[in-house]
Amino acid sequence: MDTHPRKLLVIIAEAALEKALVADARRLGAQGYTVHDVRGGGRGGTREGDWEADRSVEMKIIATEAVAEAIARHVLATYCADYSVTMFIADAQVLRPEKFS
Amino acid sequence: MVARSGYTSRELRPAPTALLPDPLVLFFLLGLSARLLRSDLKVPEALYEALALYLLLAIGLKGGVELASHPLDGLGAQVAGSLALGFATPVVAFAVLRFAGRLPVADSASIAGHYGSVSVVTFAVATGWLASRGIAHEPYMALFVALLEVPGILVGIALARLHAPGRVAWGRLAHEVFLGKGIVLLIGGLAIGWAAGPERFTALKPLFVDLFKGVLAIFLLEMGLVVASQLRDLRRGGAFLPAFAIAAPVAFGAAGAWAGAGLGFSVGGAAILATLAASASYIAAPTAMRIAIPEASPALSLTAALGITFPFNIIVGIPLYHRFAAAAAA
């Protein structure tokens, strides 16, 4: 089967950022994205997701390396100082490259 | 059960349970204790959302039906006076936090915004408290919940940006504030209730009026769980914030009671206005503040508003504000 290399960018952040993150990702070239509601904890405490201000989301974007890095750089510069954000980039293999150009 | 001597024990003295707080408060305390004791009790997120939607809609509808059937003499002055109160309380809160508490500008402004806005659940508990004691109030008080939700948030953001200019996307923010679910459901409910009027509302009454207290009870159980989680952050801060979180509602409650009496509200109505002035938002304000003042710590404002002020208001505050209102009327 033919596969094509892309990057999977995963951003876990406060739910308050969801709309902004979606807009930023679109603007910086992501063709699509997926968002889940999640809960978890880290050095800053736990986020149980019981109510509005305690919610977290996980956003997944599959894109070319350039687009994934541009979004990651923007998120680092814009949100990481003041908001709880966890982010990583992983290799992914896609079957239909035109969806993630 | 009839006692052997031929009379029931209830005739002799009130049942000892009469001394306990309202059942609504007991539901809150049950949630609080369950989380503090690390029970696995959890209210599903979807249910929490559904109950919040129901409460906001029911409060709006009831207020709207009453607006349709009551003369509205003097309502203009009451609206203007309440709005003035809504703009004044966050300014005072900011000054106290900034200069007495020496908190950073961003945190002072964010906390002031929370206290300037209102808590819908505290309002619902206050109306229940008054109703169970047979104390009448202006039936259209839900209108003031909707009116007073916004000014505090706007003042909080403006104060933060006056002192530390930064980019505020006012368009996005206005969308967030005015089209948040609280305002949409309250205003929408008011409009539908007003358009329906008392007679056509009868069909909706079993759901939105008769079941209200039961739903509120389950919601308060969840609030107990949430407040208990919030209390974990309390240990981190100093003594100033907890003191503020109790002094501010008492001071704003007194201001609301006297303003209410001055604006011609009944004792019950003034008690509700006082409760609104004393309450702090934990639904609309946190989201708006998080977007508009990112550098403010959400832990500080939520610990104060939700961890301390909310339980204080529903357990101690509401009866106190009713006393203030009675004193102001006298």
Side-chain angles (χ1 to χ4, degrees), chain A residues 14 16 19-20 44 46 48-53 55 82-83, chain B residues 35 45 48-49 176 181 222 226 232 282 290 294-295 302 306:
Chain A
E14 298 174 34
K19 280 184 201 163
T46 56
E48 300 280 352
D50 285 340
W51 59 296
E52 284 84 354
R55 273 193 203 136
D82 296 319
Y83 294 95
Chain B
R35 180 58 58 88
E45 192 183 319
Y48 167 83
E49 286 275 356
E176 201 73 41
K181 73 174 173 200
E222 158 74 356
V226 170
R232 285 183 300 219
Y282 54 83
R290 200 73 193 101
E295 65 272 34
L302 289 175
L306 193 53

Side-chain angles (χ1 to χ4, degrees), chain B residues 105 109 156-168 170 292-295:
Chain B
V105 167
I157 296 168
L159 283 169
R161 289 301 159 241
L162 275 178
H163 288 79
R167 271 191 318 122
V168 180
W170 285 104
I293 318 176
E295 65 272 34

